[in-house]
Amino acid sequence: MSMSEMEGKEETGQIEPVIGLDVEFEEDLKVPEQEVQLCRLDITEEEKQAISEFFEGRPSKTPERYLKIRNYILDQWEKCKPKYLNKTSVRPGLKNCGDVNCIGRIHTYLELIGAINFNCEQAIYNRPRTVERSRAKEARDTLEAYQLAQRLQSMRSRKRRVRDVWGNWCYPKDLEGHTYEHLSAEELAKRREEMKKQAKPVRVPRQRGSFDPFQLIPCQAFGQEKQEPFQVLVCAEALVVMDMHAHVSMGEVIGLLGGGYTEGEKVLKICAAEPCNSLSTGMQCEMDPVSQTQASELLAGRGYSVVGWYHSHPAFDPNPSVRDIDTQAKYQSYFSRGGAPFIGMIISPYNPSNPLPYSQTTCLVVSEEQGPSGSHKIPFRFEIHQSHEEPDWAQIMRRAEWVVHKYKQCHG
């Protein structure tokens, strides 16, 4: 349906009413406490999740098009406020920018967060909860607003899960107030045996041939039979940034590593670490594609190649999971086309079984050999050599400011 056809049907009431909207919603929509000012150049993580259709690689719905629509609506609100800005009034200036529905969703989102129509009586959150079926357009708008509001609430209250002392998944809040002891291997084994004796919930048995993608796989050491393919030299700048980034969150963090490889000397030098935004579901941590591109460009601007990635295991061993091994194998395959090596690093800042007064760090690659279960390739651990070069403190402070700005409002 074209925009003009949709507008015509809205005006004549020919759009089919939404079934079930002649009942009262259980809760009122939350009224924004203050007017929100959005930076016209940036897109927040919340926007990417709330209006996700523009950030899924669709050729007709790009982040640039989203910015154009959003900023036009914001500009129109600045011109007409405090008068209410409705959806119909912004459409003439947004021809060929998207269908009526997606423009409407952006308008609804901006209204719900208080970026437009703040303190307007006609705002969606000030309308009555009871909506009659006969008022089709209003019913559809209200349903869309409630669905988007529920999605925003879910996004804001969603909790990431972390591993506890025993490697079990739990919420960070469950760990608040706990005192972590540095136990010996014997004490830790004894404590685990005691935990096993306690009643456990019944688990549904796994189907034959399935495996746990979050199972941690100990790395094998290089030796006489399989020697290190190259030496890994890490600069203090990279170590400081990775460790700082890992310390600020009990959820997993992620980033890229920049440096270079000297073929003659067989040395991979890690010069810099660039923190990235993550897309987390609570059970896994993936790199945000937009942030990954920006980090790559920042490293390239300093003359570095992307030679690895890092992520954290906040409170458990720095061994890769089956999923980590799969990710590392894909990265290695991609980067090896140019003849360059690619390593993965795991930082564990709060592992209660770590007796040392500093974070545990593992540097690894995966081989082509399959593990005994056949579910993963075998990871091998490098010995890390530290460079004695003086860090670039300006670059460290730039990343520190990014980390603080990103995490200062986060739980934990």
Side-chain angles (χ1 to χ4, degrees), residues 211-230:
F211 63 93
D212 180 7
F214 305 107
Q215 177 188 357
L216 298 182
I217 308 298
C219 291
Q220 295 191 16
F222 287 107
Q224 291 296 325
E225 293 184 6
K226 189 175 181 67
Q227 297 183 353
E228 288 187 344
F230 48 86

mmCIF file of all heavy atoms in Angstrom, residues 211-230:
data_model
loop_
_atom_site.group_PDB
_atom_site.id
_atom_site.type_symbol
_atom_site.label_atom_id
_atom_site.label_comp_id
_atom_site.label_asym_id
_atom_site.label_seq_id
_atom_site.Cartn_x
_atom_site.Cartn_y
_atom_site.Cartn_z
ATOM 1 N N PHE A 211 25.696 -30.658 22.254
ATOM 2 C CA PHE A 211 26.781 -30.258 23.137
ATOM 3 C C PHE A 211 26.476 -28.887 23.718
ATOM 4 O O PHE A 211 25.620 -28.157 23.215
ATOM 5 C CB PHE A 211 28.117 -30.251 22.394
ATOM 6 C CG PHE A 211 28.170 -29.248 21.271
ATOM 7 C CD1 PHE A 211 28.669 -27.972 21.486
ATOM 8 C CD2 PHE A 211 27.708 -29.573 20.008
ATOM 9 C CE1 PHE A 211 28.711 -27.039 20.466
ATOM 10 C CE2 PHE A 211 27.748 -28.647 18.985
ATOM 11 C CZ PHE A 211 28.249 -27.382 19.206
ATOM 12 N N ASP A 212 27.161 -28.551 24.782
ATOM 13 C CA ASP A 212 26.961 -27.279 25.456
ATOM 14 C C ASP A 212 27.902 -26.235 24.859
ATOM 15 O O ASP A 212 29.119 -26.334 25.020
ATOM 16 C CB ASP A 212 27.246 -27.459 26.950
ATOM 17 C CG ASP A 212 27.060 -26.156 27.730
ATOM 18 O OD1 ASP A 212 26.590 -25.169 27.131
ATOM 19 O OD2 ASP A 212 27.378 -26.145 28.930
ATOM 20 N N PRO A 213 27.373 -25.210 24.181
ATOM 21 C CA PRO A 213 28.248 -24.211 23.548
ATOM 22 C C PRO A 213 28.982 -23.331 24.559
ATOM 23 O O PRO A 213 29.911 -22.624 24.206
ATOM 24 C CB PRO A 213 27.283 -23.378 22.697
ATOM 25 C CG PRO A 213 25.954 -23.549 23.357
ATOM 26 C CD PRO A 213 25.952 -24.936 23.916
ATOM 27 N N PHE A 214 28.566 -23.370 25.834
ATOM 28 C CA PHE A 214 29.192 -22.526 26.849
ATOM 29 C C PHE A 214 30.148 -23.314 27.739
ATOM 30 O O PHE A 214 30.660 -22.779 28.723
ATOM 31 C CB PHE A 214 28.101 -21.858 27.687
ATOM 32 C CG PHE A 214 27.117 -21.095 26.844
ATOM 33 C CD1 PHE A 214 25.835 -21.582 26.648
ATOM 34 C CD2 PHE A 214 27.477 -19.921 26.215
ATOM 35 C CE1 PHE A 214 24.933 -20.891 25.856
ATOM 36 C CE2 PHE A 214 26.585 -19.232 25.421
ATOM 37 C CZ PHE A 214 25.302 -19.719 25.237
ATOM 38 N N GLN A 215 30.378 -24.585 27.392
ATOM 39 C CA GLN A 215 31.346 -25.381 28.150
ATOM 40 C C GLN A 215 32.747 -24.823 27.950
ATOM 41 O O GLN A 215 33.165 -24.528 26.836
ATOM 42 C CB GLN A 215 31.297 -26.841 27.687
ATOM 43 C CG GLN A 215 32.316 -27.734 28.376
ATOM 44 C CD GLN A 215 32.365 -29.122 27.766
ATOM 45 O OE1 GLN A 215 31.596 -29.443 26.866
ATOM 46 N NE2 GLN A 215 33.281 -29.952 28.232
ATOM 47 N N LEU A 216 33.502 -24.652 29.040
ATOM 48 C CA LEU A 216 34.859 -24.127 28.956
ATOM 49 C C LEU A 216 35.830 -25.255 28.621
ATOM 50 O O LEU A 216 35.793 -26.332 29.222
ATOM 51 C CB LEU A 216 35.258 -23.473 30.276
ATOM 52 C CG LEU A 216 34.420 -22.265 30.712
ATOM 53 C CD1 LEU A 216 34.963 -21.690 32.013
ATOM 54 C CD2 LEU A 216 34.385 -21.193 29.635
ATOM 55 N N ILE A 217 36.714 -24.995 27.658
ATOM 56 C CA ILE A 217 37.683 -25.993 27.190
ATOM 57 C C ILE A 217 39.091 -25.540 27.590
ATOM 58 O O ILE A 217 39.558 -24.482 27.124
ATOM 59 C CB ILE A 217 37.606 -26.171 25.658
ATOM 60 C CG1 ILE A 217 36.167 -26.445 25.208
ATOM 61 C CG2 ILE A 217 38.562 -27.279 25.208
ATOM 62 C CD1 ILE A 217 35.561 -27.717 25.764
ATOM 63 N N PRO A 218 39.791 -26.285 28.440
ATOM 64 C CA PRO A 218 41.157 -25.904 28.819
ATOM 65 C C PRO A 218 42.077 -25.870 27.591
ATOM 66 O O PRO A 218 42.007 -26.738 26.719
ATOM 67 C CB PRO A 218 41.576 -27.006 29.803
ATOM 68 C CG PRO A 218 40.296 -27.596 30.294
ATOM 69 C CD PRO A 218 39.336 -27.495 29.154
ATOM 70 N N CYS A 219 42.946 -24.862 27.545
ATOM 71 C CA CYS A 219 43.896 -24.747 26.437
ATOM 72 C C CYS A 219 45.078 -25.694 26.649
ATOM 73 O O CYS A 219 45.527 -25.893 27.777
ATOM 74 C CB CYS A 219 44.413 -23.311 26.336
ATOM 75 S SG CYS A 219 43.200 -22.112 25.809
ATOM 76 N N GLN A 220 45.563 -26.245 25.553
ATOM 77 C CA GLN A 220 46.768 -27.056 25.622
ATOM 78 C C GLN A 220 47.988 -26.151 25.434
ATOM 79 O O GLN A 220 47.910 -25.108 24.773
ATOM 80 C CB GLN A 220 46.733 -28.146 24.557
ATOM 81 C CG GLN A 220 45.629 -29.168 24.774
ATOM 82 C CD GLN A 220 45.768 -30.388 23.886
ATOM 83 O OE1 GLN A 220 46.847 -30.619 23.319
ATOM 84 N NE2 GLN A 220 44.706 -31.157 23.754
ATOM 85 N N ALA A 221 49.095 -26.552 26.030
ATOM 86 C CA ALA A 221 50.324 -25.771 25.926
ATOM 87 C C ALA A 221 51.130 -26.216 24.710
ATOM 88 O O ALA A 221 51.119 -27.390 24.335
ATOM 89 C CB ALA A 221 51.147 -25.933 27.197
ATOM 90 N N PHE A 222 51.800 -25.253 24.085
ATOM 91 C CA PHE A 222 52.734 -25.605 23.020
ATOM 92 C C PHE A 222 53.946 -26.301 23.646
ATOM 93 O O PHE A 222 54.297 -26.056 24.804
ATOM 94 C CB PHE A 222 53.192 -24.356 22.268
ATOM 95 C CG PHE A 222 52.132 -23.764 21.370
ATOM 96 C CD1 PHE A 222 51.496 -22.578 21.705
ATOM 97 C CD2 PHE A 222 51.787 -24.399 20.187
ATOM 98 C CE1 PHE A 222 50.534 -22.026 20.875
ATOM 99 C CE2 PHE A 222 50.822 -23.857 19.343
ATOM 100 C CZ PHE A 222 50.194 -22.668 19.696
ATOM 101 N N GLY A 223 54.578 -27.183 22.870
ATOM 102 C CA GLY A 223 55.741 -27.892 23.383
ATOM 103 C C GLY A 223 56.602 -28.411 22.257
ATOM 104 O O GLY A 223 56.602 -27.853 21.143
ATOM 105 N N GLN A 224 57.334 -29.490 22.529
ATOM 106 C CA GLN A 224 58.225 -30.058 21.521
ATOM 107 C C GLN A 224 57.444 -30.603 20.326
ATOM 108 O O GLN A 224 57.828 -30.420 19.171
ATOM 109 C CB GLN A 224 59.077 -31.172 22.148
ATOM 110 C CG GLN A 224 60.102 -30.675 23.151
ATOM 111 C CD GLN A 224 61.142 -29.780 22.490
ATOM 112 O OE1 GLN A 224 61.526 -29.985 21.336
ATOM 113 N NE2 GLN A 224 61.603 -28.770 23.229
ATOM 114 N N GLU A 225 56.343 -31.292 20.615
ATOM 115 C CA GLU A 225 55.568 -31.895 19.536
ATOM 116 C C GLU A 225 54.883 -30.844 18.677
ATOM 117 O O GLU A 225 54.803 -30.969 17.462
ATOM 118 C CB GLU A 225 54.520 -32.859 20.111
ATOM 119 C CG GLU A 225 55.118 -34.089 20.785
ATOM 120 C CD GLU A 225 54.049 -35.050 21.246
ATOM 121 O OE1 GLU A 225 52.857 -34.823 20.946
ATOM 122 O OE2 GLU A 225 54.412 -36.036 21.917
ATOM 123 N N LYS A 226 54.349 -29.808 19.319
ATOM 124 C CA LYS A 226 53.682 -28.715 18.590
ATOM 125 C C LYS A 226 54.228 -27.399 19.119
ATOM 126 O O LYS A 226 53.862 -26.951 20.197
ATOM 127 C CB LYS A 226 52.160 -28.789 18.767
ATOM 128 C CG LYS A 226 51.405 -27.817 17.861
ATOM 129 C CD LYS A 226 49.908 -28.032 17.990
ATOM 130 C CE LYS A 226 49.144 -27.090 17.066
ATOM 131 N NZ LYS A 226 49.347 -27.381 15.634
ATOM 132 N N GLN A 227 55.120 -26.794 18.372
ATOM 133 C CA GLN A 227 55.776 -25.575 18.814
ATOM 134 C C GLN A 227 54.954 -24.345 18.440
ATOM 135 O O GLN A 227 54.114 -24.385 17.530
ATOM 136 C CB GLN A 227 57.167 -25.489 18.192
ATOM 137 C CG GLN A 227 58.100 -26.613 18.624
ATOM 138 C CD GLN A 227 59.501 -26.443 18.037
ATOM 139 O OE1 GLN A 227 59.746 -25.576 17.223
ATOM 140 N NE2 GLN A 227 60.419 -27.297 18.484
ATOM 141 N N GLU A 228 55.228 -23.253 19.166
ATOM 142 C CA GLU A 228 54.535 -21.999 18.867
ATOM 143 C C GLU A 228 54.834 -21.575 17.421
ATOM 144 O O GLU A 228 56.006 -21.502 17.033
ATOM 145 C CB GLU A 228 54.997 -20.892 19.813
ATOM 146 C CG GLU A 228 54.496 -21.029 21.235
ATOM 147 C CD GLU A 228 54.848 -19.825 22.095
ATOM 148 O OE1 GLU A 228 55.728 -19.035 21.682
ATOM 149 O OE2 GLU A 228 54.250 -19.672 23.163
ATOM 150 N N PRO A 229 53.795 -21.270 16.627
ATOM 151 C CA PRO A 229 54.038 -20.846 15.239
ATOM 152 C C PRO A 229 54.680 -19.470 15.152
ATOM 153 O O PRO A 229 55.292 -19.122 14.153
ATOM 154 C CB PRO A 229 52.629 -20.837 14.625
ATOM 155 C CG PRO A 229 51.709 -20.661 15.786
ATOM 156 C CD PRO A 229 52.365 -21.343 16.942
ATOM 157 N N PHE A 230 54.522 -18.679 16.199
ATOM 158 C CA PHE A 230 55.136 -17.345 16.267
ATOM 159 C C PHE A 230 55.138 -16.910 17.731
ATOM 160 O O PHE A 230 54.487 -17.527 18.590
ATOM 161 C CB PHE A 230 54.381 -16.321 15.410
ATOM 162 C CG PHE A 230 52.892 -16.324 15.621
ATOM 163 C CD1 PHE A 230 52.306 -15.578 16.639
ATOM 164 C CD2 PHE A 230 52.054 -17.093 14.803
ATOM 165 C CE1 PHE A 230 50.942 -15.583 16.840
ATOM 166 C CE2 PHE A 230 50.683 -17.114 14.996
ATOM 167 C CZ PHE A 230 50.116 -16.354 16.020
#
